Amino acid sequence: MIEVDRLTRHYPGHHGLPKAALSEVSFTVAKGEVLGLLGPNGAGKTTLSRILTTLLLPTSGTATVAGFDVIRFPRRVRHHIGLVLGGDRGLYGRLSARQNLDYWAALQGMNRRTARARITELICQLGLADRADDRVETFSRGMAQRVHLARALLSAPSVLVMDEPTNGMDPHAVVGFRGLIQQLRDQGTTVLLTTHDLHEAQQLCSRIALIDRGRLLRVGTPQKLLAAVRAPRVVTAARVAPAIVNSLAGIVGARVQSRDGQLTVHVDDDTVLATVLASLVAAQVTELTVAQPNLAEVYRGVIEDREFAL
Ligand SMILES: Nc1ncnc2c1ncn2[C@@H]1O[C@H](COP(=O)(O)OP(=O)(O)OP(=O)(O)O)[C@@H](O)[C@H]1O
């Protein structure tokens, strides 16, 4: 549904020299896939979203959405794509949710009767029914974001581009909104999801693209990205006899610490991990945990951005 090939976008930089916000970025997104675009501030995520939604022209390279080139067929692309932005832009606070949606439907040239039915359907689907006729300026961040999503879904697009859609929401609203994204995914909508939130990416995305300074550094399933991490695993166990601690200390590649029977072992690879676990199980130690690397470790390993708070 999305094909991006060597996409490049320059902005004027210092002394008139071009500065690359995107450099030779290539990837594809299949129908029904949720691709997470993850990267620090200034990585180029918004630039890419804007090109795909025909709001910005690339300097070179190509991008197609639902088979239509974004430069040659922008109207067709717009018909197939919905854009959901984070933040407070884009809604009329003094209008109700329904009036906002009526307005956007009219701008898109939708027939009134079709628009009315579609708006009622979206209001129900997105949990807005109780507040549909209240002014949007009285809405919480999470409710306003649902109106943004309804607006993007008016023309039933097959592709949604979401730029940090849960930014600024409280945790409860985030859970509800992510549930909506999951529903859309299950209904076959293709989603490009820009996010800073590693947990969100891991929860929602079938694949994740890591982008930094305009370059695509890695693309893969969360499992594939995790498999490539060399972060040490940590085994912890309780009530471990001193003799067992001593025998573990003899395993090459295991760094053992122990205090009052509470054991912590750092291991470098899966073979050492298996040996440590086998020794503990043979000694009938059952209270143990293994901390797996998570996306934060992948991120740290791939992107060296000090400003990005994990
Ligand atoms: N209109 C512009 N003029 C000049 N430079 C720009 C312009 N828009 C973006 N840039 C630069 O392009 C680079 C990529 O910006 P972009 O907004 O795409 O990043 P981002 O990944 O979306 O960042 P954020 O997470 O902060 O939204 C940045 O270095 C930014 O300063």
Side-chain angles (χ1 to χ4, degrees), residues 1-13:
M1 293 301 282
I2 302 178
E3 288 189 13
V4 170
D5 187 26
R6 284 169 291 153
L7 205 61
T8 299
R9 167 72 202 199
H10 291 154
Y11 287 114

Side-chain angles (χ1 to χ4, degrees), residues 281-303:
V281 171
Q284 298 188 331
V285 174
T286 50
E287 281 181 50
L288 56 87
T289 61
V290 182
Q292 296 295 333
N294 57 30
L295 216 48
E297 261 114 14
V298 177
Y299 196 93
R300 265 190 220 111
V302 174
I303 294 173

Side-chain angles (χ1 to χ4, degrees), residues 90 114 127 131 216 226 249 295:
T114 316
R131 306 285 311 275
L216 196 62
L226 290 174
L295 216 48

Side-chain angles (χ1 to χ4, degrees), residues 154-194:
L154 274 173
S155 63
S158 44
V159 179
L160 268 184
V161 173
M162 301 182 140
D163 198 353
E164 297 179 30
T166 56
N167 213 1
M169 280 188 203
D170 70 57
H172 181 70
V174 166
V175 170
F177 199 83
R178 287 185 189 156
L180 292 174
I181 300 176
Q182 272 164 336
Q183 266 178 33
L184 291 166
R185 179 190 67 188
D186 296 344
Q187 290 161 8
T189 306
T190 307
V191 181
L192 183 75
L193 174 75
T194 290

Side-chain angles (χ1 to χ4, degrees), residues 228-250:
V229 190
R230 299 210 164 267
R233 316 279 204 278
V234 183
V235 181
T236 52
R239 285 197 275 276
V240 183
I244 309 300
V245 174
N246 287 339
S247 74
L248 292 175

Side-chain angles (χ1 to χ4, degrees), residues 269-276:
D269 64 44
D270 285 349
T271 315
V272 181
L273 177 65
T275 313
V276 169

Side-chain angles (χ1 to χ4, degrees), residues 11-12 19 21 39-47 164 196:
Y11 287 114
K19 173 180 143 195
N41 293 129
K45 305 182 297 292
T46 302
T47 301
E164 297 179 30
H196 275 189

